[in-house]
């Protein structure tokens, strides 16, 4: 595909992530023109969501018969690097899924199309989306994506293991202490069963408990780390203690060998903090569908908040068809698209009054809790260049999970590295 290069700042200085053309190669910046047959490439990373997204694409093509959308599914482990390398070769997509944590460098390089005019032309009331997620994709009051879905985190549990131990199921009144005491009662080393999984997973585990303890990952103004705050350290220690003090979780190497969700689905873990996004996988598994359920996150010392996150759809500024690319990006997050996604059960649609179909898709699980927690949620923490510090989290917190360092030492090292990265952002 023909393209023109735009320079992205910092470590992501690569060609534009879009299929596009140079200004003198016959491109039409004003759009395709009535009746002109054009193609747009659209990249996603979830095969679980492919059928639902294809249904949304089909609806867009029905409304725009002169546009063909080529859906590209790139596995998560390859997705971000593939976008970078294909952009360098001029073969990247016109539209793609984006995370708020990945957004900053592309904005600095002018790689994304502003979508406010297209949103207005589509007649979409932005107030229908969760406000924190709209803000996640805005800079200086300019919107670069609308959230297509959202997810929150709950406490999933295995009813069969609770029944075998003669314990009552978790409920919304639980606190951290209830999790620990029940995990101890459920742990059976002889049977290779653990009460809970404690992977080093920011969105599913320690981001939630940092905020529940009254700490923060990043300051409200985005200039300093919160990792060295005593409350943040308490939120992290909740998880490291599960392994190193209480012995109710497998160790970190175990999760490197077999992901926590797979261990949970095999019956090795009785409880797991994880997201609404796994409901479809659990429902499709005979054992999980029959034995799993979910409740709200147990309360920490200060609150019971959950992290909320959501994918956005972005259009790239160098697209050969920028007007149509922007229209596609907005449609993919529209109320119609939200309803299609919720109806499929793949994800919780982002737009108000479209989520009930998602709840109805899983009568075996109490998934209503994921919606109930939205009002007490905190948005996934980001900065202008999130990757500069988020990429250090696993490296610098691992010694706390393995017991080689205290949580205070590991969190302090991460805070130092994060503050250095944030200072570089500020120039």
């Amino acid at each position: 595909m023909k393209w023109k290069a735009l320079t992205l700042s910092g470590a992501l200085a690569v060609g534009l992530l879009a299929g596009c053309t140079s200004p003198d190669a016959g491109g039409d910046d004003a759009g395709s023109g009535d009746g002109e047959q054009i193609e747009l490439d659209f990249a996603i990373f979830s095969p679980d969501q492919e059928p639902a997204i294809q249904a949304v694409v089909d609806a867009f093509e029905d409304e725009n018969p002169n546009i063909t959308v080529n859906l590209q599914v790139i596995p998560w482990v390859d997705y971000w690097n593939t976008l970078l390398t294909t952009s360098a070769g001029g073969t990247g997509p016109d539209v793609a899924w984006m995370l708020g944590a990945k957004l900053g460098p592309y904005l600095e390089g002018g790689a994304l199309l502003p979508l406010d005019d297209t949103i207005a032309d589509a007649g979409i009331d932005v107030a229908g989306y969760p406000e924190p997620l709209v803000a996640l994709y805005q800079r200086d009051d300019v919107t670069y994506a609308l959230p297509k879905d959202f997810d929150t985190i709950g406490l999933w549990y295995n009813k069969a293991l609770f029944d075998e131990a003669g314990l009552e199921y978790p409920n919304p009144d639980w606190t951290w202490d209830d999790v620990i005491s029940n995990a101890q009662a459920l742990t059976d080393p002889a049977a290779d069963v653990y009460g809970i999984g404690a992977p080093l997973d920011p969105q599913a585990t320690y981001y939630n408990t940092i905020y529940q303890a009254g700490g923060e990952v990043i300051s409200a103004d985005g200039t300093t780390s919160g990792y060295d705050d005593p409350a943040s350290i308490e939120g992290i220690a909740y998880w490291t203690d599960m392994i190193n003090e209480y012995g109710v979780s497998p160790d970190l190497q175990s999760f490197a060998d077999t992901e926590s969700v797979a261990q949970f689905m095999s019956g090795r873990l009785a409880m797991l903090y994880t997201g609404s996004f796994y409901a479809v996988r659990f429902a499709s598994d005979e054992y999980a569908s029959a034995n799993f359920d979910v409740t709200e996150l147990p309360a920490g010392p200060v609150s019971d908040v959950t992290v909320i996150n959501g994918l956005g759809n972005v259009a790239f500024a160098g697209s050969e068809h920028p007007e149509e690319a922007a229209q596609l990006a907005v449609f993919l997050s529209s109320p119609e698209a939200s309803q299609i996604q919720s109806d499929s059960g793949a994800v919780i649609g982002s737009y108000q009054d479209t989520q009930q179909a998602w709840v109805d898709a899983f009568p075996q699980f109490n998934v209503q809790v994921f919606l109930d927690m939205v009002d007490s949620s905190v948005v996934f923490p980001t900065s202008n260049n999130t990757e500069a510090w988020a990429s250090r989290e696993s490296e610098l917190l691992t010694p706390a999970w393995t017991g080689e360092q205290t949580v205070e030492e590991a969190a302090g090292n991460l805070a130092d590295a994060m503050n250095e990265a944030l200072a570089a952002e500020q120039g």
Side-chain angles (χ1 to χ4, degrees), residues 265 281-283 285-293 364-365:
M265 294 180 71
R281 184 181 298 187
F282 295 158
D285 181 86
E286 182 178 359
Y287 177 81
S289 183
N291 292 293
F292 288 3
D293 208 346
Q364 67 273 61
F365 305 138

Side-chain angles (χ1 to χ4, degrees), residues 207 210-211 215-219 224-227 232 381 389 393 418:
Y207 278 3
I210 283 174
Y211 288 103
E216 60 185 6
V217 174
I218 188 171
S219 62
T224 58
S225 173
Y227 274 111
S232 298
W389 52 267
E393 290 174 324
M418 183 173 174

Side-chain angles (χ1 to χ4, degrees), residues 55-67 69 331 336:
V56 176
V57 166
D58 291 345
F60 176 80
E61 291 179 333
D62 287 344
E63 293 187 13
N64 301 273
N66 65 311
I67 302 176
V69 179
F331 184 88
E336 180 179 351

Side-chain angles (χ1 to χ4, degrees), residues 84-174:
L84 294 176
T85 55
T86 57
S87 70
T91 58
D94 300 275
V95 176
W97 279 359
M98 181 60 67
L99 285 169
K102 304 283 188 179
L103 192 66
Y106 301 114
L107 296 183
E108 292 177 19
L112 303 181
L113 289 169
L115 299 180
D116 296 279
D117 289 345
T118 308
I119 293 167
D121 290 344
I124 296 175
D125 182 2
V126 176
Y129 300 96
E131 189 280 330
L133 294 186
V134 174
L136 190 62
Y137 293 102
Q138 291 177 327
R139 295 293 188 278
D140 299 323
D141 296 323
V142 177
T143 305
Y144 294 93
L146 288 173
K148 81 171 195 71
D149 57 33
F150 71 82
D151 48 71
T152 54
I153 306 300
L155 174 62
W156 288 91
Y157 58 93
N158 186 324
K159 294 183 292 185
L161 294 179
F162 273 81
D163 290 342
E164 290 174 14
L167 299 172
E168 294 184 3
Y169 300 150
N171 64 67
D173 295 327
W174 267 29

